[in-house]
Amino acid sequence: MEIKQFEYKPLAHYSYAIVDNGEMAVIDPERDPMQYYAFAQEHEAKIVAVIETHPHADFISSHLQIHKETGASIYHSKDLGADYEYEPFDEGQHIMVGDIKVSALNTPGHSPDSITVVAEKDGKTALFTGDTLFIGDVGRPDLREKAGNMTAKRQELAEMMYHSIQNKFKDLPDGALVYPAHGAGSLCGKNLSSDNSSTLGNERMGNWAFKPQSKEEFVNTLLDSQPFIPSYFGFDVDTNRKGSENLRTSIAQVPLKLNTSINGLIVDVRDENEFKKGHLPGSINIMAVSENSKFETWLGAIINPEEPFSLVVEKPSDAESILKRVAKIGYEKQVKLVLTLDENALVQSDKLDLTHFKNNPDKYTIVDIRNKSEIEEGKYFESALTIPLNDLRASSTQIPKNKPIIVHCAGGYRSSAGSSIIESLSENVQVYDLGDNINDFI
């Protein structure tokens, strides 16, 4: 039994391939299936199964595309209520991948339809736990109140998770390998380890969820201080339940236009320095210059599902790679146009006099756009107005416009987006991005 873990760092997402005797199964695949096809070809294996542990909230899966392009059957819980053809895969059912026995455990909690995939061969066991069991934590239980075929309230889901952790893993060996669908940095949990795998024995010893505790204690701990939920999460759950379009054909439909300008909602993905030198009026700067940046998360937190927008890129050759990142969360159909800029239609961002701000902070309205959990640990400026970045577009009217506005986060990436949002919605007031100068105040 050979196991391959694939990582998509911007979303801290892990997907998997298991191979044996010329057959392969893919578990929780991301939007672009080409890496799985390449791995299958390298191992002279046929993809016979694609397994979903649940309908994912933070990314779009390629399960339907893999089925159509390889003939592999799709397996997941019958409770998912998919709109496409699939094979029910619930407790008591198993399939063979080569000589690997692959079975399902129903482990609700993160979602009502979550399963854990159990792979066994020659006395060895591997658990693909989806968003049920993480390394050091368990999946958040508050994403399914309004999305999916089976909705459930966070209290119900937390109680389901307690029973799953208490009962569903108890007969499995300590040596069973644990492979989750997400790692540190994912919004699908709050205290995920940076480790990408573990053993069930190690989790029984070190994961808080396995420690002796009452259901009430477990639920209270699980529900406390979960991260914010980006607006796209429910949209992605429903898209995955329906099955997404083929990635190649979907992004090919988006037009590209060079050296132009456009009105409407605009997302400029260039580096903040280039953006501040010149951008289209009303643009929002969500940087995608780093392969490991959280571009997808902030795009889906700032822009609403089904809200049309245009994309500004640095050069034409960036268009395809950026669209693939947009498609990771299923937003490519919302993109009206990808464009490079006409240099004659640009505006500059205001430049901050840092010394003046340091000496006269009371002459500015300071907006802290960090997340609530960060702000609870302490403010950098006592007078700061606190509005998390994901709420900023809807809450900008709360910001007084009688003074210049300073925007800050914890490091600079988010403040570039935040200052551009306020700039796009505010006339006749100067808006400054404190950027990485925040380090002077920490």
Side-chain angles (χ1 to χ4, degrees):
M1 174 167 60
E2 180 169 353
I3 298 169
K4 169 68 174 178
Q5 183 182 66
F6 302 85
E7 180 181 10
Y8 186 66
K9 288 184 178 180
L11 291 170
H13 166 229
Y14 300 125
S15 54
Y16 300 90
I18 54 174
V19 177
D20 192 67
N21 282 350
E23 292 189 333
M24 176 172 141
V26 183
I27 301 171
D28 291 336
E30 61 136 283
R31 183 71 189 271
D32 188 348
M34 290 303 159
Q35 60 193 325
Y36 314 119
Y37 297 168
F39 188 76
Q41 187 171 32
E42 288 168 13
H43 288 74
E44 298 181 347
K46 179 183 179 181
I47 300 175
V48 296
V50 54
I51 307 172
E52 293 284 270
T53 57
H54 64 291
H56 301 278
D58 66 318
F59 69 92
I60 296 300
S61 171
S62 58
H63 54 285
L64 189 57
Q65 181 174 341
I66 293 172
H67 163 68
K68 290 179 177 177
E69 292 183 334
T70 71
S73 296
I74 302 171
Y75 296 88
H76 52 62
S77 172
K78 66 180 185 304
D79 293 334
L80 191 149
D83 290 350
Y84 48 79
E85 183 180 339
Y86 71 96
E87 299 293 331
F89 197 49
D90 291 284
E91 212 155 307
Q93 297 176 303
H94 77 273
I95 60 173
M96 298 301 296
V97 178
D99 294 325
I100 305 170
K101 181 182 178 182
V102 182
S103 54
L105 288 177
N106 291 106
T107 50
H110 172 71
S111 65
D113 42 26
S114 288
I115 62 170
T116 289
V117 178
V118 184
E120 300 170 289
K121 183 186 176 185
D122 297 335
K124 296 180 180 179
T125 303
L127 307 176
F128 301 92
T129 54
D131 287 358
T132 297
L133 176 60
F134 292 136
I135 312 306
D137 200 4
V138 292
R140 67 186 299 168
D142 55 354
L143 301 180
R144 291 293 291 275
E145 298 218 6
K146 298 177 181 177
N149 180 62
M150 291 181 69
T151 57
K153 296 188 181 300
R154 62 200 305 261
Q155 179 77 23
E156 294 173 45
L157 287 168
E159 292 176 2
M160 290 179 192
M161 183 67 82
Y162 176 77
H163 289 294
S164 290
I165 296 298
Q166 289 287 312
N167 302 317
K168 292 303 178 79
F169 298 99
K170 63 183 180 181
D171 295 329
L172 292 164
D174 279 344
L177 298 170
V178 175
Y179 291 110
H182 288 96
S186 169
L187 293 176
C188 294
K190 57 182 177 179
N191 292 309
L192 283 67
S193 168
S194 58
D195 294 339
N196 59 4
S197 65
S198 182
T199 64
L200 191 54
N202 284 341
E203 293 309 299
R204 284 170 172 152
M205 288 189 295
N207 190 319
W208 72 269
F210 283 100
K211 293 177 180 177
Q213 58 196 301
S214 68
K215 179 167 71 173
E216 183 180 13
E217 289 172 323
F218 179 96
V219 167
N220 288 340
T221 300
L222 184 54
L223 294 181
D224 181 55
S225 301
Q226 287 288 357
F228 77 97
I229 302 174
S231 56
Y232 80 94
F233 271 22
F235 170 77
D236 276 18
V237 168
D238 286 334
T239 301
N240 283 320
R241 187 176 60 80
K242 297 170 185 173
S244 64
E245 258 191 55
N246 182 295
L247 173 64
R248 294 188 310 279
T249 56
S250 192
I251 65 173
Q253 295 170 24
V254 182
L256 171 68
K257 198 168 183 181
L258 307 186
N259 306 318
T260 190
S261 62
I262 194 170
N263 296 317
L265 181 58
I266 303 163
V267 173
D268 191 322
V269 305
R270 296 174 301 148
D271 177 78
E272 61 179 311
N273 294 320
E274 294 303 313
F275 176 85
K276 289 179 172 67
K277 287 178 188 174
H279 55 268
L280 291 173
S283 301
I284 298 174
N285 184 211
I286 309 176
M287 290 183 283
V289 290
S290 166
E291 291 183 358
N292 296 331
S293 68
K294 298 289 185 182
F295 168 73
E296 293 86 347
T297 296
W298 289 113
L299 178 68
I302 293 169
I303 308 300
N304 293 318
E306 301 180 357
E307 185 176 23
F309 64 97
S310 297
L311 277 172
V312 172
V313 296
E314 179 70 29
K315 52 188 185 298
S317 58
D318 294 337
E320 184 174 355
S321 62
I322 295 299
L323 281 173
K324 283 185 176 180
R325 295 193 68 174
V326 171
K328 299 283 189 190
I329 63 168
Y331 269 27
E332 76 278 4
K333 286 192 170 302
Q334 298 167 219
V335 180
K336 298 192 301 181
L337 179 69
V338 178
L339 64 143
T340 61
L341 292 175
D342 174 3
E343 299 294 331
N344 296 317
L346 307 184
V347 295
Q348 291 185 338
S349 296
D350 296 316
K351 293 181 180 178
L352 174 65
D353 183 337
L354 185 61
T355 302
H356 185 270
F357 172 61
K358 286 181 176 179
N359 293 331
N360 304 277
D362 57 319
K363 293 186 177 180
Y364 297 81
T365 296
I366 304 171
V367 183
D368 184 342
I369 63 168
R370 293 177 300 151
N371 299 333
K372 288 181 180 178
S373 59
E374 295 172 281
I375 293 167
E376 287 169 0
E377 294 176 2
K379 294 170 72 173
Y380 302 146
F381 305 96
E382 281 305 314
S383 65
L385 183 65
T386 58
I387 306 176
L389 176 56
N390 57 297
D391 295 331
L392 197 54
R393 284 182 71 204
S395 305
S396 65
T397 55
Q398 298 175 16
I399 303 171
K401 307 297 194 298
N402 59 333
K403 300 178 185 178
I405 298 168
I406 290 271
V407 182
H408 82 83
C409 59
Y413 179 89
R414 287 174 289 175
S415 64
S416 183
S419 59
S420 65
I421 289 172
I422 297 173
E423 179 187 326
S424 72
L425 299 172
S426 305
E427 294 182 5
N428 304 318
V429 62
Q430 292 174 305
V431 181
Y432 300 107
D433 173 16
L434 189 56
D436 57 12
N437 290 315
I438 187 62
N439 293 313
D440 293 355
F441 301 88
I442 295 176

